[in-house]
């Protein structure tokens, strides 16, 4: 079991930046893959970025590539740096973890992840 806690979401103007954090604890093998998802009102969760924690391999959705960067530190925290934010980035952002590295390499969908945080809201105004 992996416990995840997200933070860093807030309201920001278009063109601004935010950094989301996800602190993980619990089974270290259960977090070989760490991903960020977002969910728009009334929609399902979509993958944004993922990182294979023992390789550093990353994957991004086309909608955020070049603007968002996923990274990690040595203290069980994964970050999502979001630059040049747009109003269409407004969503609830979730951190997820799974033991399968392939899930991250292929930017797998939400059904492939076993562990989830509670989410942090990002609002971008024009």
């Amino acid at each position: 079991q992996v416990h995840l806690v997200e933070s860093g979401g807030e309201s920001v103007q278009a063109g601004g930046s935010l950094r989301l954090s996800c602190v993980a604890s619990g089974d270290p093998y259960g977090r070989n893959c760490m991903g960020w998802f977002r969910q728009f009102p009334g929609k399902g969760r979509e993958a944004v970025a993922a990182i294979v924690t023992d390789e550093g391999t990353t994957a991004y959705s086309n909608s955020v590539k070049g603007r968002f960067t996923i990274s990690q530190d040595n203290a069980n925290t994964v970050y999502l740096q979001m630059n040049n934010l747009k109003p269409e980035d407004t969503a609830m952002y979730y951190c997820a973890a799974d033991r399968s590295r392939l899930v991250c390499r292929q930017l797998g969908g939400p059904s492939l992840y076993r562990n989830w945080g509670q989410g942090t809201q990002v609002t971008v105004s024009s």
Side-chain angles (χ1 to χ4, degrees):
Q1 187 74 14
V2 179
H3 184 60
L4 303 169
V5 179
E6 305 99 327
S7 63
E10 59 181 78
S11 296
V12 65
Q13 295 277 348
S17 298
L18 282 176
R19 188 176 78 160
L20 305 183
S21 299
C22 173
V23 178
S25 59
D27 179 12
Y29 298 105
R31 355 174 192 144
N32 292 329
C33 167
M34 298 284 291
W36 283 99
F37 287 76
R38 62 187 180 185
Q39 186 167 20
F40 306 111
K43 303 287 187 180
R45 295 180 187 183
E46 67 173 34
V48 172
I51 185 166
V52 181
T53 55
D54 59 354
E55 296 176 352
T57 306
T58 59
Y60 297 91
S61 69
N62 289 334
S63 61
V64 306
K65 198 172 293 184
R67 299 188 299 125
F68 291 11
T69 303
I70 189 170
S71 64
Q72 60 181 341
D73 65 11
N74 294 326
N76 304 317
T77 303
V78 172
Y79 304 98
L80 184 68
Q81 177 67 42
M82 305 186 294
N83 298 328
N84 190 23
L85 282 160
K86 305 175 182 180
E88 52 264 40
D89 294 318
T90 295
M92 183 71 79
Y93 284 72
Y94 295 91
C95 177
D98 195 79
R99 62 177 55 244
S100 171
R101 296 173 181 83
L102 186 61
V103 170
C104 271
R105 294 188 193 116
Q106 297 183 340
L107 198 62
S111 64
L112 300 174
Y113 284 79
R114 304 182 194 191
N115 302 281
W116 290 87
Q118 294 300 306
T120 186
Q121 176 68 38
V122 172
T123 302
V124 185
S125 58
S126 57

